[in-house]
């Protein structure tokens, strides 16, 4: 696999195909033809790829509307990526999981006695914590592992409004489909690992500084962690199961099998 970057365009080539991504307008093209020679004259209006280079962004979906899009030099976040890489090490994550379980047991009585009715200020504070702390850390963890394999000079991230209500942080991982099975598995697991780390930190704080709102955030994080592991929603568990089944999207494969475009795989039909 060969990676080339020219004027912001990101090209990944294999023996059978080329994938070219334009971070400026979030467009991707795939072809069996070599594209490197076209990049050198990308500013030429007669170049077949010129329109792809200068065209506007694609129309956004109302259910997934990008409010903020930011482009940042990847090298400026090296210190942050190194910190995340250390924390996402399997043995470090396992230590955090043990700490999370011990701390949760020690504050289990506080969980049981918690008044489940939330005030308006608590709801707003919880929403802010989710949108600007938990979800961004979760999503950035995915990007850190992805970046091990596709380290281009610029990264794109931002905030999107999904389903008219949820403000979510996102990072772009355009070449995810080109990753190997083990790489996809590591990338899918990164978000779950980060929420285990957050669980341990939050639960530990609850044992040291008992606080109603900290307990609420801890419970919410645990709930999000469990939901993310469900393999039948298009969340981390879904992509993890897809990687274990050695496919990019097992439900997409099921549809193609149903239409007769792919050979039948009993395990996917069963799931």
């Amino acid at each position: 696999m060969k990676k080339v970057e020219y004027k912001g365009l990101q090209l990944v080539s294999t023996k059978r195909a080329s994938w070219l991504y334009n971070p400026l307008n979030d467009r991707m093209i795939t072809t069996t033809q070599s594209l490197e020679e076209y990049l050198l004259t990308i500013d030429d209006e007669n170049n077949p790829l010129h329109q792809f280079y200068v065209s506007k962004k694609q129309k956004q979906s109302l259910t997934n509307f990008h409010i903020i899009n930011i482009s940042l030099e990847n090298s400026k976040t090296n210190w942050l990526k190194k910190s995340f890489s250390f924390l996402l090490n399997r043995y470090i994550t396992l230590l955090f999981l043990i700490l999370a379980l011990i701390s949760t047991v020690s504050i289990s009585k506080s969980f049981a006695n918690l008044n489940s009715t939330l005030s308006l200020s608590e709801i707003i504070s919880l929403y802010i914590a989710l949108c600007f702390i938990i979800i961004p850390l979760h999503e950035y963890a995915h990007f850190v592992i992805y970046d091990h394999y596709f380290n281009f000079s610029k990264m794109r991230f931002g905030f999107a409004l999904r389903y008219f209500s949820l403000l979510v942080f996102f990072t772009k991982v355009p070449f995810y489909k080109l990753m190997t099975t083990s790489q996809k598995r590591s990338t899918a697991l990164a978000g779950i690992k980060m929420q285990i780390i957050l669980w341990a930190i939050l639960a530990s704080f609850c044992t040291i500084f008992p606080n109603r709102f900290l307990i609420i955030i801890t419970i919410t994080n645990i709930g999000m962690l469990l939901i993310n592991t469900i393999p039948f929603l298009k969340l981390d568990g879904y992509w993890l199961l897809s990687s274990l089944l050695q496919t990019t999207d097992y439900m997409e494969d099921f549809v193609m099998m149903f239409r007769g475009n792919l050979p039948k795989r009993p395990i996917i039909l069963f799931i």
Side-chain angles (χ1 to χ4, degrees):
M1 187 181 294
K2 186 177 181 181
K3 292 173 284 185
V4 176
E5 193 167 7
Y6 187 78
K7 290 196 172 182
L9 297 177
Q10 300 171 0
L11 174 66
V12 176
S13 305
T14 64
K15 291 181 179 179
R16 60 186 181 88
S18 297
W19 290 261
L20 184 64
Y21 176 65
N22 187 347
L24 299 176
N25 54 26
D26 197 24
R27 291 178 180 268
M28 170 84 83
I29 57 173
T30 307
T31 178
T32 55
Q33 188 176 353
S34 175
L35 297 177
E36 286 188 52
E37 59 185 273
Y38 292 105
L39 294 182
L40 300 176
T41 58
I42 197 70
D43 292 313
D44 185 349
E45 293 184 3
N46 295 318
N47 186 319
L49 294 181
H50 179 73
Q51 193 57 37
F52 167 80
Y53 179 55
V54 300
S55 61
K56 295 180 179 179
K57 295 179 182 178
Q58 301 181 64
K59 289 185 178 179
Q60 297 195 58
S61 166
L62 290 176
T63 57
N64 185 20
F65 187 80
H66 290 186
I67 300 171
I68 300 173
N69 265 296
I70 300 171
S71 178
L72 182 69
E73 290 291 335
N74 211 352
S75 59
K76 293 182 178 180
T77 62
N78 280 340
W79 65 272
L80 187 59
K81 286 187 290 185
K82 288 178 181 178
S83 301
F84 269 66
S85 294
F86 172 76
L87 292 173
L88 294 172
N89 175 279
R90 69 177 69 179
Y91 301 110
I92 300 297
T93 305
L94 180 60
L95 290 175
F96 272 103
L97 177 59
I98 294 169
L99 175 61
L101 292 171
I102 294 171
S103 300
T104 302
V105 169
S106 69
I107 59 173
S108 57
K109 287 184 179 179
S110 299
F111 282 3
N113 298 328
L114 187 70
N115 182 352
S116 60
T117 304
L118 301 182
S119 67
L120 179 60
S121 61
E122 286 175 331
I123 292 171
I124 293 172
S125 299
L126 182 59
Y127 182 85
I128 292 171
L130 288 175
C131 293
F132 294 100
I133 300 175
I134 295 178
I135 294 176
L137 290 174
H138 175 110
E139 294 299 326
Y140 189 70
H142 287 306
F143 175 79
V144 167
I145 303 302
Y146 167 86
D147 191 64
H148 285 333
Y149 311 109
F150 298 98
N151 183 237
F152 287 105
S153 66
K154 288 187 180 293
M155 63 171 287
R156 287 198 70 80
F157 64 96
F159 285 90
L161 187 66
R162 290 185 182 166
Y163 307 111
F164 307 103
S165 59
L166 184 63
L167 185 67
V168 296
F169 175 88
F170 66 86
T171 54
K172 290 291 181 179
V173 289
F175 300 106
Y176 176 79
K177 289 186 177 182
L178 302 183
M179 301 174 87
T180 65
T181 299
S182 62
Q183 290 170 351
K184 288 177 182 175
R185 190 181 308 134
S186 297
T187 304
L189 275 172
I192 294 173
K193 287 181 177 180
M194 180 49 61
Q195 286 201 254
I196 289 173
I197 292 166
L198 288 172
W199 174 16
I201 293 170
L202 289 168
S204 298
F205 267 99
C206 285
T207 60
I208 301 169
F209 308 105
N211 179 281
R212 169 181 161 82
F213 187 66
L214 271 178
I215 293 174
I216 291 170
I217 295 178
T218 304
I219 294 172
T220 303
N221 182 66
I222 293 171
M224 288 178 64
L225 172 60
L226 293 175
I227 290 171
N228 262 303
T229 59
I230 297 173
F232 309 114
L233 302 173
K234 285 202 172 183
L235 298 170
D236 295 352
Y238 180 93
W239 303 116
L240 179 58
L241 179 57
S242 290
S243 69
L244 292 172
L245 294 171
Q246 297 188 340
T247 181
T248 300
D249 186 330
Y250 78 82
M251 185 57 71
E252 188 178 281
D253 281 10
F254 169 77
V255 173
M256 293 182 72
M257 289 175 194
F258 186 77
R259 291 174 178 171
N261 297 329
L262 271 182
K264 302 292 189 296
R265 288 182 62 191
I267 184 64
I268 290 182
L269 294 174
F270 172 77
I271 291 172

